[in-house]
Amino acid sequence: MTILEDRPSNPAAGDHDRPIGHGRMQRKEDPRFVRGKGHYVDDIVLPGMLHGAILRAPVAHARLVSIDTTEALAHPKVLAVITGTDLQALGLAWAPTLSMDVQAVLVTDKVRFQGQEVAFVVAEDRYAARDALELIQVEYDVLPPVVDARKAMDPSAPIIRDDLAGRTDNHIFDWEAGDKAETDAVFASADVVVKQEIVYPRVHPAPMETCGAVADFDPIDGRLTLYETTQAPHAHRTLFAMVSGIPEHKIRVVSPDIGGGFGNKVGIYPGYILAVVGSIVTGKPVKWVEDRSENLMSTSFARDYIMQGEIAATKDGKILALRTNVLADHGAFNATAQPTKYPAGFFHIFTGSYDLAAAHCTVTGVYTNKAPGGVAYACSFRVTEAVYLVERMVDILARKLDMDPAELRLKNFIKKEQFPYANKTGWEYDSGDYEPTMRLSMKMAGYDELRREQKEKRERGELMGIGISFFTETVGAGPRKDMDILGLGMADGAELRIHPTGKAVVRISVQSQGQGHETTFAQIVAEEIGIPPEDIDVVHGDTDQTPFGLGTYGSRSTPVSGAAVALVARKVREKARFIAAAMLETRPEDLEWEKGRWFVKGDPSVGKTIAEIAMGAHGTIALPEGIDGNLDAEVTYDPPNLTFPFGAYICVVDVDPGTGHVKVRRFIAVDDCGTRINPMIIEGQIHGGLTDGVGMALMEIIEFDDEGNCLGGSFMDYLLPTAMEVPDWETGFTVTPSPHHPIGAKGVGESATVGSPPAVVNAVVDALAPFGVVHMDMPCTPARVWEAMQGRTRPPV
Amino acid sequence: MQIPAPFEYVRASSVDNALALLDRHGPESRVVAGGHSLLPMMKLRLARPDWLIDINDLFELDYLLVDTVPNNGRVLRIGAMTRHTTLLESDDIKRLFPIVIDAERVIADPIVRNRGTIGGSLCQADPAEDLSTVCHVLEGVAVVRGPAGERMLSMAEFHRGPYETAVAQNELLIEVRVPIRDDSGSAYEKVERRIGDWAVAAAGASVTLAADGTISHVAVGLTAVGLDRNVTEVEAVLVGQAPTEQLFVEAGRLTSLACDPLADQRGPVDYKRHLADELTRRVLRAACRRAAASISDITI
């Protein structure tokens, strides 16, 4: 076990107090955030800048009959009103989505979800732009909507995507993984089979900063500068070039400080495109920033999976197989952001942490009259849904077998010696050692004592529940042979320059939305080349300043970009060896590395530090053949596999028997994300993800009424958890390094969001066991818990 | 940033000035105090006043005092501009009306409580408004001032229904008077999906005990379940009886029958009726316990 946090400091660098590269250092970016000096898209003000606002459809499904902009154009502060017809003339009415579908930028023919973009007003200020929306007259011919995904494939269902040639139904795709015949055979001969419909309702990432853009098109040299809330600036630039016809080298995408993403800022929204069009049309910069309701109603939602789960086992608790059919509601456009080969993301990791004889899943995607999206909210490309399914099914099986859920999990884990482990749906788990992690969580929780307490309380009529979730994640997409988004391989670049004085700048292709990249990546470089993290600047988020790469989502920054940064630092270190050899007039193979310095083998007093070598590289010494005069390098990293972080979570809840109110009393989270770079940042990620998980399990849901009206369009209706709803998190860790990652690190950003909802729901269901409840769907609101106690569990959709 | 429809803004300097401004700007003018109900509605463009009359400078309405009023006896006088936080932190209130503390603890969050006022809460008359129920239960009196002078309204007269009060467009609620009863206890309990959400349901009760330990006076009120009055149905059952669990169960049952909730995202009708029952039992229990505690020789 390696815990780099505990590595000794490097006296050579004059830093005796702190490990040089790794460790619990404070975040370099925080001084500007805590002092209110962050610089977000909405902070950008350009000379002559105008403001845009979007008119949105009030209904879910309607034919657009007419649109009259006369009155809006007459507003004294309005400069332009853009409609779908205007965009059609420019060939921009429809834009490609990240899933090979198209999405309307502005409605030309038909409204397909409530909140869809209908017209764009450009005005002198934001107030006027908003006011002018009310001056646009639109006539709609309202159509019956498809709201329930279960009815989307009914022959009588209205066809939502009649824009697509030959389309006669609302079907998007069927996808499967695993061996059906083999799985069916195992099920047919199993002692015990349990089935359960499990719904993961629609939720929303709801980042603190809503989406927005400032577009600045320079008509003289044809250059577009686009400031955007994006998690993937390079991918956006390429797509903008492909869609708009503006050559890629004339486009600069800048993603400044981003106030949370969670997958909400991966896609290209109509608002971004409209800001660009607005700037081209008016010849001035145009800012568009959506409001909270627009964010909740129109941008990428998450989940919306209706899963029929089945699990097979022997009567003594050996889990044999798992199968599921999933109905996936993708909304009005198939706009999920995920690798092309995997329309259901990485859902097929639904075999979880268990050694199974067989597994099979099918996923059917359908269109409905709801906002598009599906892959968001820290889901690791649908691992959230997969983990929720398997961890609920294992608990349901434990109940059926009358086994302790911890014991059932321990009995069925993939064993340490089985790694790398090929599961039954095509994944190769790179590493794992599950039992110690599970045992540590049980020890921290005082598991046996909790069960005793629960038994006593049940005898008194009190409702206490203990829920376990053991998750395995698959993050760090991904190997280019398997993974691309719209043909762009999921690799990431890194460039490192050591300045003559030994200070450095590392340029990365991923973009932080709060993850702490400016610290973490500096720490990786520091560890590899032995200069303090404070001396390393991390540049990101500007396509003119950074190498190409696919961006930050799916917990991929450390697995992919972190590897790129480690490798580019090693490249620089190796180059430094040659330059040091020239400076010391010796051979490179006669030099030995200690952190920050090359020295002569056998004579440690003779050596050169990185700073001395950098000055040498830019100086006047004769350089060896093939070594040019700098200490710079670049790499593009194509990961050989994904990384497979895992964790054991235990949640303790108390349920008020009279009201159904759930109180999360304790939450123990033991995470294994391989090598830990900055434990404080990791804990921050875990705390946030656990809070997300409690929110989803207890209160978050985007609901629709029968007319397709979104019922979660404000923070009065879409509930996010506060400090009052969550306990003091009890975190722990184990370290199982990734064997293929240069420093053994795995992703961690989404682990807690993925792993915690089943722990909370398992705890609630466990608390309700005296009422015979074996399953209830999220969110476990007081009313829904009370209904479950009355024997009336019902799906949320 | 959510942008309200255009409006004009003016700050009132006194009650009389506020009344004059209301008179001058007419029916499309609205008074803003804490603003935590009105401003969100304006930002969503659900409320679109032409004029906003800001009364936050009316410090003369920010007070709490125990007083003796002719015909009313001892009362607690609460100025309409008294903030939730002031109520929550008042020792007088803690001693006299624990129901207010119970309710204030679950009204939104500290940020809202620092700004929101009792007057704003009562005049908004949101069906999920906790202080309306509390004032009903405590049999408070609303003092309303207008061009014709002051009038005193019982809560039943004041509170006409969801979002509707007896305060005319050119009037201002300036004070709430709460009668002080000896040997009394009160309590409030709410179920919400999350701190700061509107109530799924809530109940409040105030109980006065006689020297023999029987209930001499009682009031029970409900929040967010379609009843804008006290549950008078329970009074005949409770008054004159010694408080027992059996009695609370009967009161709860009657309360669940008296209310008229609507199904919404917070829950179905039967759940809300169940909560009316459950919470009534809880608040009666707590109110009786507190009343007994104020009389040293009675224990229950």
Side-chain angles (χ1 to χ4, degrees), chain A residues 484-719:
Chain A
D484 68 274
I485 287 182
L486 289 185
L488 298 170
M490 299 187 76
D492 275 282
E495 293 173 8
L496 176 62
R497 292 183 198 168
I498 314 294
H499 304 311
T501 58
K503 312 295 181 192
V505 57
V506 61
R507 298 167 188 279
I508 56 176
S509 55
V510 293
Q511 161 62 13
S512 174
Q513 312 118 45
Q515 289 89 342
H517 290 175
E518 291 169 35
T519 309
T520 299
F521 289 100
Q523 289 184 269
I524 294 172
V525 173
E527 181 67 24
E528 296 295 338
I529 62 167
I531 63 175
E534 291 81 358
D535 289 353
I536 302 159
D537 219 14
V538 177
V539 174
H540 57 117
D542 182 341
T543 56
D544 273 9
Q545 300 274 338
T546 56
F548 190 88
L550 275 224
T552 296
Y553 40 86
S555 297
R556 64 187 299 282
S557 286
T558 293
V560 186
S561 215
V565 165
L567 292 181
V568 82
R570 286 177 194 176
K571 215 167 160 181
V572 161
R573 190 171 75 200
E574 204 46 34
K575 183 171 183 179
R577 181 208 281 255
F578 283 84
I579 298 167
M583 294 169 77
L584 295 167
E585 296 178 342
T586 180
R587 295 180 309 171
E589 52 270 37
D590 292 334
L591 295 181
E592 206 170 309
W593 174 254
E594 67 176 357
K595 210 188 273 181
R597 183 169 176 269
W598 286 107
F599 65 92
V600 175
K601 279 179 192 166
D603 188 2
S605 66
V606 179
K608 292 288 177 191
T609 66
I610 281 289
E612 289 164 342
I613 299 166
M615 190 60 88
H618 289 281
T620 56
I621 59 154
L623 290 165
E625 184 73 25
I627 300 287
D628 47 8
N630 60 44
L631 197 49
D632 305 344
E634 59 180 75
V635 301
T636 297
Y637 182 73
D638 174 29
N641 190 4
L642 289 92
T643 66
F644 293 74
F646 55 91
Y649 290 176
I650 299 179
C651 177
V652 183
V653 301
D654 296 302
V655 178
D656 184 329
T659 67
H661 184 268
V662 176
K663 174 82 186 160
V664 178
R665 189 206 308 173
R666 288 181 68 196
F667 201 108
I668 295 90
V670 179
D671 273 89
D672 190 321
C673 59
T675 300
R676 293 157 62 84
I677 299 161
N678 185 324
M680 185 186 71
I681 288 178
I682 292 169
E683 285 159 12
Q685 297 263 36
I686 302 288
H687 288 187
L690 295 176
T691 307
D692 286 342
V694 168
M696 282 179 264
L698 298 187
M699 62 193 79
E700 295 180 35
I701 183 169
I702 299 277
E703 285 184 280
F704 294 83
D705 68 13
D706 292 344
E707 277 76 52
N709 294 307
C710 177
L711 304 179
S714 81
F715 280 162
M716 290 184 274
D717 305 299
Y718 187 71
L719 302 180

Side-chain angles (χ1 to χ4, degrees), chain A residues 148-160:
Chain A
D148 183 350
R150 294 180 181 86
K151 294 177 185 157
M153 292 298 290
D154 285 356
S156 61
I159 311 301
I160 298 167

Side-chain angles (χ1 to χ4, degrees), chain A residues 131 656 658-659 720 792, chain B residues 45 48 194 270-271 274 282:
Chain A
D131 291 344
D656 184 329
T659 67
L720 293 174
R792 295 187 351 227
Chain B
R45 300 200 174 204
R48 311 173 66 119
R194 189 204 62 191
D270 60 348
Y271 173 62
H274 163 77
R282 290 185 185 189

Side-chain angles (χ1 to χ4, degrees), chain B residues 6-12 21 25 30 32-33 39 42 49-57 115:
Chain B
F7 63 91
E8 299 292 333
Y9 172 89
V10 60
R11 283 184 92 91
L21 289 166
H25 298 301
R30 287 287 301 270
V32 63
L39 297 187
M42 287 173 64
D50 291 341
W51 279 88
L52 215 50
I53 300 168
D54 188 336
I55 58 169
N56 280 287
D57 290 343
R115 294 293 298 166

